[in-house]
Amino acid sequence: MPLARSFSMTSLSGVLPQWDEEDLPVDDLLLFEVAWEVTNKVGGIYTVIQTKAKITVDEWGENYFMMGPYYEHNFQTQVEACEAPLPAIRGAMDALISNGCQVFFGRWLIEGSPYVLLFDVGGASGNLDRWKGDLWDSCNIGLPSQDHEAGDALILGSLLTDRLGDAPNVIAHFHEWQAGAGLILSRARKIPMATVFTTHATLLGRYLCAGNVDFYNNLGKFDIDREAGERQIYHRYCLERAAVHCAHVFTTVSQITAVEAQHILQRKPDVITPNGLNVKKFSAMHEFQNMHCSSKARIQEFVRGHFYGHLDFNLEKTLYFFIAGRYEFSNKGADLFLEALSRLNYLLRVHKEDVTVVVFFIMPAKTNNFNVESLKGQAIRKQLWGEIPEMNNILDRDDFSVMKRAIYATQRHTLPPVTTHNMLDDATDPILANVRRIGLFNARSDRVKIVFHPEFLSSTSPLLPMDYEEFVRGCNLGVFPSYYEPWGYTPGECTVMGIPSVTTNLSGFGCFMEEHVSDPAAYGIYVVDRRFRSAHESCSQLTQFMFGFCQQSRRQRIIQRNRTERLSDLLDWRFLGRFYVHARLLALSRAFPDKYEMDPMAPPKAEGFRYPRPYSVPPSPSASLHSTPHHSDAEDDDDEDEPYDEDEEAERDRMNIKTPFVLGGVPGGRRRSQLVEDEDED
């Protein structure tokens, strides 16, 4: 069934195949989507299912149900309770409730308002021993009593298959090993439903990479059972692997994770289902550029306070880089980033560049309060950069006194702090330990300054009162040189906001962009090679990316942000949701071959791709100077000398995107069709 569309001027029309209405008769089917993160924000999968909900509801309507564990606080604050619309669902709920199991139903208050069915796992724990016996009898997987998380996963799966399996014509999509027990039991009990299993990252892969193992170069050499046993997760690994092999269709989120899954889980994924976002386009061409400038001004206010007494660098020539995410020092590439920053600092000093780079590390760590010196800096900034007195009061004695006190307060005999908070493990913290090693202490001579903010951003913070989206919009470059990143939402979020970013070819996002964009760097997506190069070579490449970015003129950065923002349609669920549609259709054809026919070897028909003309880039440098907000006079001369050819830019856009998407593709097995250009539509 076709999804609802609302194409913008830059939409990628023709990039994905079309299905006929009768190919997937959703009116006769029910879609269950099972995940531990339904209404429960505990990881990146929450973002996947939350953002994907709207396009799934648009397709399935009242026949779509999300299922997960019940948490009282989440239900009260995120769910509007209501009665289940279908008799089959109501009957299953009544049967479970009559057996003493609590089940809750309602609409999740997110975009799309999908139905959710939540199970009280704790209330059903009295049946755990019996269900452990059933699991052992059906597939010889035993769960240790001390692993409560695995026990809760089994309870959820048992509740799911106890009564809901009676519903007719069901497609059940399970995410990750916590939901996998339900898939295993549904197949063991021969429940007639089509099943899809998605792994967003293999369980053992996360554990191995967290231990600084040379993971990708040794994928074929690991003794999987021994490695899982040594980490005391063998039973979880068995649940994950059994779910993978029991599913009619196995999917994963990226090509790099498909390679990992083929070695770790011993099954090649049937479909790659990339993670998307809900992309909202602005009606005005430069609205996102205006938002960048206003957010950047907010960051500049923080910098004035944080670096008071050492603010001897030009804020108009200061660039803001950042890294954000879970505090996984090696997996997220913070180790490589810090080493590259040390080299970047050396290059900027040697070449006598007048650019200063302020780098933010937004990673939550254990703290006990804000740093007093950081709070003092913001107080001084507010006092010194307050309102300018009126002319008739400019000579008032009290005004002079206030101004003198503020100026005297800016005298500082210590360096600006590296961290904004008091760290509980200051001596052993990986970021701070490496800052000490490379010697980036925010000295006057350093062209690279570091600000470690060990807490997620909040608009109510007394230090940096911005939410995450506003902060990202104000930065110039996001740097995410991850070693283990099955997808990578952070560079994707940068892309949809028009902010260039650094990623790697070991992240799903980086592989995705390399596959579909011929020259990602031209579009503000810098892909560091961490798979086929040594750590030293990868660090040098990252350093050169950042140094080259620092050498760009303001004009070049504006054009690059326009290009980056135009890639956002590649990440829109309105397009990437089609991969899920294909996976469900494939599952139906395998579960019910007599009713649903599909040739799994023949990819759906796809049209050629034509990239749109770069409407948001002004036709001449002079036009850009007048249309760009907060433009800097200091860079006028450089911008005027920069050549710009609109036809050449349009040709680059048309040719830079590679061949169309092919659904069902896996590494080494993608079939490509020829790029079709339609010059007449330009």
PDB file of all heavy atoms in Angstrom, residues 5 7 11-18 516 569-570 574-576 578-579 604-610 657-663 673 675:
ATOM      1  N   ARG A   5       2.380  10.929   0.963  1.00  0.00           N
ATOM      2  CA  ARG A   5       3.561  11.724   0.651  1.00  0.00           C
ATOM      3  C   ARG A   5       3.237  13.206   0.716  1.00  0.00           C
ATOM      4  O   ARG A   5       2.115  13.620   0.494  1.00  0.00           O
ATOM      5  CB  ARG A   5       4.082  11.410  -0.753  1.00  0.00           C
ATOM      6  CG  ARG A   5       4.612   9.998  -0.905  1.00  0.00           C
ATOM      7  CD  ARG A   5       5.265   9.861  -2.248  1.00  0.00           C
ATOM      8  NE  ARG A   5       5.912   8.566  -2.389  1.00  0.00           N
ATOM      9  CZ  ARG A   5       6.846   8.312  -3.279  1.00  0.00           C
ATOM     10  NH1 ARG A   5       7.250   9.254  -4.093  1.00  0.00           N
ATOM     11  NH2 ARG A   5       7.383   7.127  -3.370  1.00  0.00           N
ATOM     12  N   PHE A   7       5.771  15.900  -0.766  1.00  0.00           N
ATOM     13  CA  PHE A   7       7.104  16.200  -1.259  1.00  0.00           C
ATOM     14  C   PHE A   7       7.428  17.688  -1.150  1.00  0.00           C
ATOM     15  O   PHE A   7       6.602  18.540  -1.410  1.00  0.00           O
ATOM     16  CB  PHE A   7       7.239  15.779  -2.726  1.00  0.00           C
ATOM     17  CG  PHE A   7       7.251  14.299  -2.922  1.00  0.00           C
ATOM     18  CD1 PHE A   7       6.254  13.677  -3.635  1.00  0.00           C
ATOM     19  CD2 PHE A   7       8.257  13.533  -2.377  1.00  0.00           C
ATOM     20  CE1 PHE A   7       6.270  12.315  -3.822  1.00  0.00           C
ATOM     21  CE2 PHE A   7       8.276  12.179  -2.558  1.00  0.00           C
ATOM     22  CZ  PHE A   7       7.284  11.555  -3.278  1.00  0.00           C
ATOM     23  N   SER A  11      12.550  17.053  -2.661  1.00  0.00           N
ATOM     24  CA  SER A  11      12.267  15.642  -2.426  1.00  0.00           C
ATOM     25  C   SER A  11      12.885  14.778  -3.517  1.00  0.00           C
ATOM     26  O   SER A  11      13.058  15.194  -4.653  1.00  0.00           O
ATOM     27  CB  SER A  11      10.751  15.410  -2.369  1.00  0.00           C
ATOM     28  OG  SER A  11      10.164  15.761  -3.590  1.00  0.00           O
ATOM     29  N   LEU A  12      13.190  13.543  -3.137  1.00  0.00           N
ATOM     30  CA  LEU A  12      13.908  12.655  -4.046  1.00  0.00           C
ATOM     31  C   LEU A  12      12.912  11.799  -4.814  1.00  0.00           C
ATOM     32  O   LEU A  12      12.867  10.580  -4.668  1.00  0.00           O
ATOM     33  CB  LEU A  12      14.882  11.784  -3.245  1.00  0.00           C
ATOM     34  CG  LEU A  12      15.793  12.563  -2.290  1.00  0.00           C
ATOM     35  CD1 LEU A  12      16.757  11.626  -1.609  1.00  0.00           C
ATOM     36  CD2 LEU A  12      16.554  13.639  -3.032  1.00  0.00           C
ATOM     37  N   SER A  13      12.092  12.399  -5.636  1.00  0.00           N
ATOM     38  CA  SER A  13      11.066  11.672  -6.361  1.00  0.00           C
ATOM     39  C   SER A  13      11.704  10.671  -7.306  1.00  0.00           C
ATOM     40  O   SER A  13      12.676  10.946  -7.981  1.00  0.00           O
ATOM     41  CB  SER A  13      10.186  12.648  -7.143  1.00  0.00           C
ATOM     42  OG  SER A  13      10.987  13.476  -7.951  1.00  0.00           O
ATOM     43  N   GLY A  14      11.115   9.470  -7.336  1.00  0.00           N
ATOM     44  CA  GLY A  14      11.605   8.437  -8.239  1.00  0.00           C
ATOM     45  C   GLY A  14      12.704   7.581  -7.664  1.00  0.00           C
ATOM     46  O   GLY A  14      13.152   6.653  -8.317  1.00  0.00           O
ATOM     47  N   VAL A  15      13.120   7.849  -6.431  1.00  0.00           N
ATOM     48  CA  VAL A  15      14.258   7.100  -5.913  1.00  0.00           C
ATOM     49  C   VAL A  15      13.862   5.724  -5.390  1.00  0.00           C
ATOM     50  O   VAL A  15      14.664   4.817  -5.371  1.00  0.00           O
ATOM     51  CB  VAL A  15      14.966   7.896  -4.809  1.00  0.00           C
ATOM     52  CG1 VAL A  15      14.151   7.940  -3.547  1.00  0.00           C
ATOM     53  CG2 VAL A  15      16.328   7.311  -4.532  1.00  0.00           C
ATOM     54  N   LEU A  16      12.620   5.570  -4.950  1.00  0.00           N
ATOM     55  CA  LEU A  16      12.195   4.288  -4.405  1.00  0.00           C
ATOM     56  C   LEU A  16      11.051   3.706  -5.220  1.00  0.00           C
ATOM     57  O   LEU A  16      10.292   4.423  -5.857  1.00  0.00           O
ATOM     58  CB  LEU A  16      11.745   4.460  -2.946  1.00  0.00           C
ATOM     59  CG  LEU A  16      12.889   4.685  -1.949  1.00  0.00           C
ATOM     60  CD1 LEU A  16      12.325   4.929  -0.567  1.00  0.00           C
ATOM     61  CD2 LEU A  16      13.802   3.486  -1.933  1.00  0.00           C
ATOM     62  N   PRO A  17      10.918   2.387  -5.206  1.00  0.00           N
ATOM     63  CA  PRO A  17       9.900   1.730  -6.015  1.00  0.00           C
ATOM     64  C   PRO A  17       8.494   1.957  -5.478  1.00  0.00           C
ATOM     65  O   PRO A  17       8.300   2.309  -4.330  1.00  0.00           O
ATOM     66  CB  PRO A  17      10.280   0.252  -5.918  1.00  0.00           C
ATOM     67  CG  PRO A  17      11.018   0.148  -4.633  1.00  0.00           C
ATOM     68  CD  PRO A  17      11.740   1.443  -4.462  1.00  0.00           C
ATOM     69  N   GLN A  18       7.529   1.720  -6.334  1.00  0.00           N
ATOM     70  CA  GLN A  18       6.126   1.836  -5.973  1.00  0.00           C
ATOM     71  C   GLN A  18       5.525   0.432  -5.874  1.00  0.00           C
ATOM     72  O   GLN A  18       5.904  -0.485  -6.587  1.00  0.00           O
ATOM     73  CB  GLN A  18       5.367   2.634  -7.042  1.00  0.00           C
ATOM     74  CG  GLN A  18       5.959   4.007  -7.311  1.00  0.00           C
ATOM     75  CD  GLN A  18       5.748   4.944  -6.150  1.00  0.00           C
ATOM     76  OE1 GLN A  18       4.713   4.890  -5.508  1.00  0.00           O
ATOM     77  NE2 GLN A  18       6.725   5.786  -5.869  1.00  0.00           N
ATOM     78  N   HIS A 516      25.430   6.065  -1.386  1.00  0.00           N
ATOM     79  CA  HIS A 516      24.465   6.832  -2.172  1.00  0.00           C
ATOM     80  C   HIS A 516      24.953   8.208  -2.610  1.00  0.00           C
ATOM     81  O   HIS A 516      24.282   8.864  -3.397  1.00  0.00           O
ATOM     82  CB  HIS A 516      23.158   6.979  -1.390  1.00  0.00           C
ATOM     83  CG  HIS A 516      22.471   5.675  -1.120  1.00  0.00           C
ATOM     84  ND1 HIS A 516      21.965   4.877  -2.119  1.00  0.00           N
ATOM     85  CD2 HIS A 516      22.253   5.014   0.025  1.00  0.00           C
ATOM     86  CE1 HIS A 516      21.445   3.787  -1.591  1.00  0.00           C
ATOM     87  NE2 HIS A 516      21.608   3.847  -0.290  1.00  0.00           N
ATOM     88  N   ASP A 569      16.559  14.540   2.757  1.00  0.00           N
ATOM     89  CA  ASP A 569      15.518  13.653   2.231  1.00  0.00           C
ATOM     90  C   ASP A 569      15.971  12.198   2.172  1.00  0.00           C
ATOM     91  O   ASP A 569      15.149  11.284   2.233  1.00  0.00           O
ATOM     92  CB  ASP A 569      15.083  14.109   0.834  1.00  0.00           C
ATOM     93  CG  ASP A 569      14.056  15.233   0.894  1.00  0.00           C
ATOM     94  OD1 ASP A 569      13.297  15.275   1.868  1.00  0.00           O
ATOM     95  OD2 ASP A 569      14.029  16.062  -0.023  1.00  0.00           O
ATOM     96  N   LEU A 570      17.269  11.974   2.037  1.00  0.00           N
ATOM     97  CA  LEU A 570      17.775  10.604   2.038  1.00  0.00           C
ATOM     98  C   LEU A 570      17.494   9.902   3.364  1.00  0.00           C
ATOM     99  O   LEU A 570      17.464   8.672   3.426  1.00  0.00           O
ATOM    100  CB  LEU A 570      19.289  10.598   1.781  1.00  0.00           C
ATOM    101  CG  LEU A 570      19.772  10.931   0.369  1.00  0.00           C
ATOM    102  CD1 LEU A 570      21.284  11.049   0.353  1.00  0.00           C
ATOM    103  CD2 LEU A 570      19.325   9.872  -0.620  1.00  0.00           C
ATOM    104  N   ARG A 574       9.749   8.810   5.189  1.00  0.00           N
ATOM    105  CA  ARG A 574       8.824   8.657   4.065  1.00  0.00           C
ATOM    106  C   ARG A 574       9.453   7.847   2.940  1.00  0.00           C
ATOM    107  O   ARG A 574       8.745   7.280   2.119  1.00  0.00           O
ATOM    108  CB  ARG A 574       8.398  10.028   3.538  1.00  0.00           C
ATOM    109  CG  ARG A 574       7.475  10.794   4.492  1.00  0.00           C
ATOM    110  CD  ARG A 574       7.089  12.159   3.953  1.00  0.00           C
ATOM    111  NE  ARG A 574       8.247  13.037   3.858  1.00  0.00           N
ATOM    112  CZ  ARG A 574       8.644  13.591   2.734  1.00  0.00           C
ATOM    113  NH1 ARG A 574       8.011  13.330   1.610  1.00  0.00           N
ATOM    114  NH2 ARG A 574       9.697  14.391   2.711  1.00  0.00           N
ATOM    115  N   PHE A 575      10.786   7.795   2.932  1.00  0.00           N
ATOM    116  CA  PHE A 575      11.483   6.978   1.939  1.00  0.00           C
ATOM    117  C   PHE A 575      12.053   5.710   2.570  1.00  0.00           C
ATOM    118  O   PHE A 575      11.877   4.615   2.039  1.00  0.00           O
ATOM    119  CB  PHE A 575      12.606   7.795   1.289  1.00  0.00           C
ATOM    120  CG  PHE A 575      12.107   9.061   0.654  1.00  0.00           C
ATOM    121  CD1 PHE A 575      12.291  10.289   1.272  1.00  0.00           C
ATOM    122  CD2 PHE A 575      11.419   9.028  -0.546  1.00  0.00           C
ATOM    123  CE1 PHE A 575      11.812  11.448   0.702  1.00  0.00           C
ATOM    124  CE2 PHE A 575      10.940  10.184  -1.114  1.00  0.00           C
ATOM    125  CZ  PHE A 575      11.133  11.404  -0.502  1.00  0.00           C
ATOM    126  N   LEU A 576      12.710   5.843   3.695  1.00  0.00           N
ATOM    127  CA  LEU A 576      13.342   4.675   4.305  1.00  0.00           C
ATOM    128  C   LEU A 576      12.318   3.709   4.885  1.00  0.00           C
ATOM    129  O   LEU A 576      12.621   2.529   5.081  1.00  0.00           O
ATOM    130  CB  LEU A 576      14.314   5.134   5.396  1.00  0.00           C
ATOM    131  CG  LEU A 576      15.487   5.994   4.913  1.00  0.00           C
ATOM    132  CD1 LEU A 576      16.437   6.298   6.061  1.00  0.00           C
ATOM    133  CD2 LEU A 576      16.237   5.315   3.775  1.00  0.00           C
ATOM    134  N   ARG A 578      10.049   2.423   3.338  1.00  0.00           N
ATOM    135  CA  ARG A 578       9.774   1.428   2.306  1.00  0.00           C
ATOM    136  C   ARG A 578      10.554   0.134   2.514  1.00  0.00           C
ATOM    137  O   ARG A 578      10.123  -0.930   2.099  1.00  0.00           O
ATOM    138  CB  ARG A 578      10.129   2.003   0.933  1.00  0.00           C
ATOM    139  CG  ARG A 578       9.327   3.227   0.533  1.00  0.00           C
ATOM    140  CD  ARG A 578       7.916   2.829   0.187  1.00  0.00           C
ATOM    141  NE  ARG A 578       7.143   3.960  -0.281  1.00  0.00           N
ATOM    142  CZ  ARG A 578       6.155   3.851  -1.167  1.00  0.00           C
ATOM    143  NH1 ARG A 578       5.859   2.693  -1.671  1.00  0.00           N
ATOM    144  NH2 ARG A 578       5.469   4.917  -1.508  1.00  0.00           N
ATOM    145  N   PHE A 579      11.717   0.230   3.151  1.00  0.00           N
ATOM    146  CA  PHE A 579      12.481  -0.980   3.410  1.00  0.00           C
ATOM    147  C   PHE A 579      11.738  -1.885   4.393  1.00  0.00           C
ATOM    148  O   PHE A 579      11.803  -3.112   4.304  1.00  0.00           O
ATOM    149  CB  PHE A 579      13.865  -0.620   3.947  1.00  0.00           C
ATOM    150  CG  PHE A 579      14.745   0.056   2.927  1.00  0.00           C
ATOM    151  CD1 PHE A 579      14.758   1.431   2.798  1.00  0.00           C
ATOM    152  CD2 PHE A 579      15.545  -0.686   2.084  1.00  0.00           C
ATOM    153  CE1 PHE A 579      15.561   2.058   1.865  1.00  0.00           C
ATOM    154  CE2 PHE A 579      16.351  -0.076   1.144  1.00  0.00           C
ATOM    155  CZ  PHE A 579      16.362   1.306   1.027  1.00  0.00           C
ATOM    156  N   PRO A 604      12.210  -5.132  -6.282  1.00  0.00           N
ATOM    157  CA  PRO A 604      11.098  -4.359  -6.841  1.00  0.00           C
ATOM    158  C   PRO A 604      11.571  -3.371  -7.891  1.00  0.00           C
ATOM    159  O   PRO A 604      12.709  -2.915  -7.880  1.00  0.00           O
ATOM    160  CB  PRO A 604      10.526  -3.626  -5.617  1.00  0.00           C
ATOM    161  CG  PRO A 604      11.012  -4.406  -4.445  1.00  0.00           C
ATOM    162  CD  PRO A 604      12.330  -4.976  -4.851  1.00  0.00           C
ATOM    163  N   LYS A 605      10.669  -3.045  -8.776  1.00  0.00           N
ATOM    164  CA  LYS A 605      10.994  -2.115  -9.860  1.00  0.00           C
ATOM    165  C   LYS A 605      11.324  -0.743  -9.287  1.00  0.00           C
ATOM    166  O   LYS A 605      10.618  -0.199  -8.461  1.00  0.00           O
ATOM    167  CB  LYS A 605       9.794  -1.999 -10.807  1.00  0.00           C
ATOM    168  CG  LYS A 605      10.052  -1.062 -11.981  1.00  0.00           C
ATOM    169  CD  LYS A 605       8.852  -1.035 -12.898  1.00  0.00           C
ATOM    170  CE  LYS A 605       7.660  -0.412 -12.215  1.00  0.00           C
ATOM    171  NZ  LYS A 605       6.502  -0.289 -13.102  1.00  0.00           N
ATOM    172  N   ALA A 606      12.448  -0.174  -9.747  1.00  0.00           N
ATOM    173  CA  ALA A 606      12.874   1.144  -9.282  1.00  0.00           C
ATOM    174  C   ALA A 606      13.111   2.050 -10.468  1.00  0.00           C
ATOM    175  O   ALA A 606      13.606   1.618 -11.504  1.00  0.00           O
ATOM    176  CB  ALA A 606      14.148   1.038  -8.448  1.00  0.00           C
ATOM    177  N   GLU A 607      12.736   3.297 -10.303  1.00  0.00           N
ATOM    178  CA  GLU A 607      12.983   4.275 -11.349  1.00  0.00           C
ATOM    179  C   GLU A 607      14.340   4.915 -11.153  1.00  0.00           C
ATOM    180  O   GLU A 607      14.968   4.778 -10.103  1.00  0.00           O
ATOM    181  CB  GLU A 607      11.894   5.355 -11.300  1.00  0.00           C
ATOM    182  CG  GLU A 607      10.484   4.801 -11.484  1.00  0.00           C
ATOM    183  CD  GLU A 607       9.450   5.883 -11.309  1.00  0.00           C
ATOM    184  OE1 GLU A 607       9.844   7.068 -11.210  1.00  0.00           O
ATOM    185  OE2 GLU A 607       8.265   5.566 -11.256  1.00  0.00           O
ATOM    186  N   GLY A 608      14.810   5.626 -12.162  1.00  0.00           N
ATOM    187  CA  GLY A 608      16.080   6.327 -12.041  1.00  0.00           C
ATOM    188  C   GLY A 608      15.973   7.495 -11.082  1.00  0.00           C
ATOM    189  O   GLY A 608      14.885   7.883 -10.670  1.00  0.00           O
ATOM    190  N   PHE A 609      17.102   8.059 -10.760  1.00  0.00           N
ATOM    191  CA  PHE A 609      17.135   9.142  -9.779  1.00  0.00           C
ATOM    192  C   PHE A 609      17.673  10.417 -10.395  1.00  0.00           C
ATOM    193  O   PHE A 609      18.654  10.388 -11.123  1.00  0.00           O
ATOM    194  CB  PHE A 609      18.023   8.741  -8.598  1.00  0.00           C
ATOM    195  CG  PHE A 609      18.131   9.833  -7.593  1.00  0.00           C
ATOM    196  CD1 PHE A 609      17.113  10.050  -6.697  1.00  0.00           C
ATOM    197  CD2 PHE A 609      19.225  10.670  -7.575  1.00  0.00           C
ATOM    198  CE1 PHE A 609      17.197  11.074  -5.784  1.00  0.00           C
ATOM    199  CE2 PHE A 609      19.312  11.699  -6.672  1.00  0.00           C
ATOM    200  CZ  PHE A 609      18.292  11.895  -5.773  1.00  0.00           C
ATOM    201  N   ARG A 610      17.020  11.522 -10.118  1.00  0.00           N
ATOM    202  CA  ARG A 610      17.496  12.825 -10.581  1.00  0.00           C
ATOM    203  C   ARG A 610      17.561  13.754  -9.379  1.00  0.00           C
ATOM    204  O   ARG A 610      16.566  14.007  -8.715  1.00  0.00           O
ATOM    205  CB  ARG A 610      16.529  13.417 -11.615  1.00  0.00           C
ATOM    206  CG  ARG A 610      16.977  14.780 -12.139  1.00  0.00           C
ATOM    207  CD  ARG A 610      15.900  15.405 -12.998  1.00  0.00           C
ATOM    208  NE  ARG A 610      14.691  15.661 -12.238  1.00  0.00           N
ATOM    209  CZ  ARG A 610      14.518  16.702 -11.435  1.00  0.00           C
ATOM    210  NH1 ARG A 610      15.489  17.571 -11.286  1.00  0.00           N
ATOM    211  NH2 ARG A 610      13.390  16.872 -10.784  1.00  0.00           N
ATOM    212  N   ILE A 657      24.834  11.923  -6.680  1.00  0.00           N
ATOM    213  CA  ILE A 657      24.089  10.843  -6.061  1.00  0.00           C
ATOM    214  C   ILE A 657      24.211   9.602  -6.938  1.00  0.00           C
ATOM    215  O   ILE A 657      24.038   9.655  -8.153  1.00  0.00           O
ATOM    216  CB  ILE A 657      22.609  11.217  -5.899  1.00  0.00           C
ATOM    217  CG1 ILE A 657      22.490  12.450  -5.020  1.00  0.00           C
ATOM    218  CG2 ILE A 657      21.830  10.074  -5.286  1.00  0.00           C
ATOM    219  CD1 ILE A 657      23.028  12.280  -3.627  1.00  0.00           C
ATOM    220  N   LYS A 658      24.480   8.471  -6.305  1.00  0.00           N
ATOM    221  CA  LYS A 658      24.704   7.240  -7.055  1.00  0.00           C
ATOM    222  C   LYS A 658      23.378   6.611  -7.470  1.00  0.00           C
ATOM    223  O   LYS A 658      22.321   7.203  -7.375  1.00  0.00           O
ATOM    224  CB  LYS A 658      25.532   6.274  -6.203  1.00  0.00           C
ATOM    225  CG  LYS A 658      26.966   6.766  -5.979  1.00  0.00           C
ATOM    226  CD  LYS A 658      27.763   5.717  -5.232  1.00  0.00           C
ATOM    227  CE  LYS A 658      29.181   6.198  -5.003  1.00  0.00           C
ATOM    228  NZ  LYS A 658      29.980   5.218  -4.248  1.00  0.00           N
ATOM    229  N   THR A 659      23.444   5.358  -7.869  1.00  0.00           N
ATOM    230  CA  THR A 659      22.289   4.655  -8.409  1.00  0.00           C
ATOM    231  C   THR A 659      21.187   4.523  -7.372  1.00  0.00           C
ATOM    232  O   THR A 659      21.431   4.662  -6.179  1.00  0.00           O
ATOM    233  CB  THR A 659      22.710   3.257  -8.876  1.00  0.00           C
ATOM    234  OG1 THR A 659      23.440   2.638  -7.818  1.00  0.00           O
ATOM    235  CG2 THR A 659      23.594   3.361 -10.095  1.00  0.00           C
ATOM    236  N   PRO A 660      19.944   4.219  -7.808  1.00  0.00           N
ATOM    237  CA  PRO A 660      18.802   4.213  -6.895  1.00  0.00           C
ATOM    238  C   PRO A 660      18.922   3.153  -5.811  1.00  0.00           C
ATOM    239  O   PRO A 660      19.685   2.212  -5.909  1.00  0.00           O
ATOM    240  CB  PRO A 660      17.617   3.907  -7.820  1.00  0.00           C
ATOM    241  CG  PRO A 660      18.090   4.239  -9.176  1.00  0.00           C
ATOM    242  CD  PRO A 660      19.554   3.976  -9.191  1.00  0.00           C
ATOM    243  N   PHE A 661      18.095   3.333  -4.782  1.00  0.00           N
ATOM    244  CA  PHE A 661      18.005   2.327  -3.740  1.00  0.00           C
ATOM    245  C   PHE A 661      17.529   1.015  -4.339  1.00  0.00           C
ATOM    246  O   PHE A 661      16.704   0.985  -5.244  1.00  0.00           O
ATOM    247  CB  PHE A 661      16.965   2.734  -2.685  1.00  0.00           C
ATOM    248  CG  PHE A 661      17.347   3.926  -1.886  1.00  0.00           C
ATOM    249  CD1 PHE A 661      16.920   5.189  -2.253  1.00  0.00           C
ATOM    250  CD2 PHE A 661      18.134   3.780  -0.772  1.00  0.00           C
ATOM    251  CE1 PHE A 661      17.255   6.287  -1.488  1.00  0.00           C
ATOM    252  CE2 PHE A 661      18.468   4.883  -0.009  1.00  0.00           C
ATOM    253  CZ  PHE A 661      18.032   6.130  -0.363  1.00  0.00           C
ATOM    254  N   VAL A 662      18.023  -0.088  -3.818  1.00  0.00           N
ATOM    255  CA  VAL A 662      17.501  -1.398  -4.172  1.00  0.00           C
ATOM    256  C   VAL A 662      17.116  -2.083  -2.876  1.00  0.00           C
ATOM    257  O   VAL A 662      17.959  -2.302  -2.018  1.00  0.00           O
ATOM    258  CB  VAL A 662      18.539  -2.238  -4.941  1.00  0.00           C
ATOM    259  CG1 VAL A 662      17.974  -3.613  -5.233  1.00  0.00           C
ATOM    260  CG2 VAL A 662      18.911  -1.545  -6.241  1.00  0.00           C
ATOM    261  N   LEU A 663      15.852  -2.394  -2.721  1.00  0.00           N
ATOM    262  CA  LEU A 663      15.399  -3.000  -1.488  1.00  0.00           C
ATOM    263  C   LEU A 663      15.887  -4.434  -1.391  1.00  0.00           C
ATOM    264  O   LEU A 663      16.005  -5.137  -2.381  1.00  0.00           O
ATOM    265  CB  LEU A 663      13.870  -2.976  -1.425  1.00  0.00           C
ATOM    266  CG  LEU A 663      13.256  -1.581  -1.444  1.00  0.00           C
ATOM    267  CD1 LEU A 663      11.759  -1.685  -1.290  1.00  0.00           C
ATOM    268  CD2 LEU A 663      13.837  -0.724  -0.349  1.00  0.00           C
ATOM    269  N   SER A 673      20.940  -0.336 -10.842  1.00  0.00           N
ATOM    270  CA  SER A 673      20.373   0.041 -12.130  1.00  0.00           C
ATOM    271  C   SER A 673      21.015   1.337 -12.571  1.00  0.00           C
ATOM    272  O   SER A 673      21.612   2.053 -11.792  1.00  0.00           O
ATOM    273  CB  SER A 673      18.849   0.203 -12.009  1.00  0.00           C
ATOM    274  OG  SER A 673      18.553   1.167 -11.062  1.00  0.00           O
ATOM    275  N   LEU A 675      21.776   5.068 -13.685  1.00  0.00           N
ATOM    276  CA  LEU A 675      21.276   6.399 -13.330  1.00  0.00           C
ATOM    277  C   LEU A 675      20.639   7.049 -14.545  1.00  0.00           C
ATOM    278  O   LEU A 675      21.208   7.073 -15.619  1.00  0.00           O
ATOM    279  CB  LEU A 675      22.425   7.261 -12.822  1.00  0.00           C
ATOM    280  CG  LEU A 675      22.053   8.675 -12.403  1.00  0.00           C
ATOM    281  CD1 LEU A 675      21.185   8.619 -11.163  1.00  0.00           C
ATOM    282  CD2 LEU A 675      23.312   9.480 -12.130  1.00  0.00           C
TER     283      LEU A 675
END
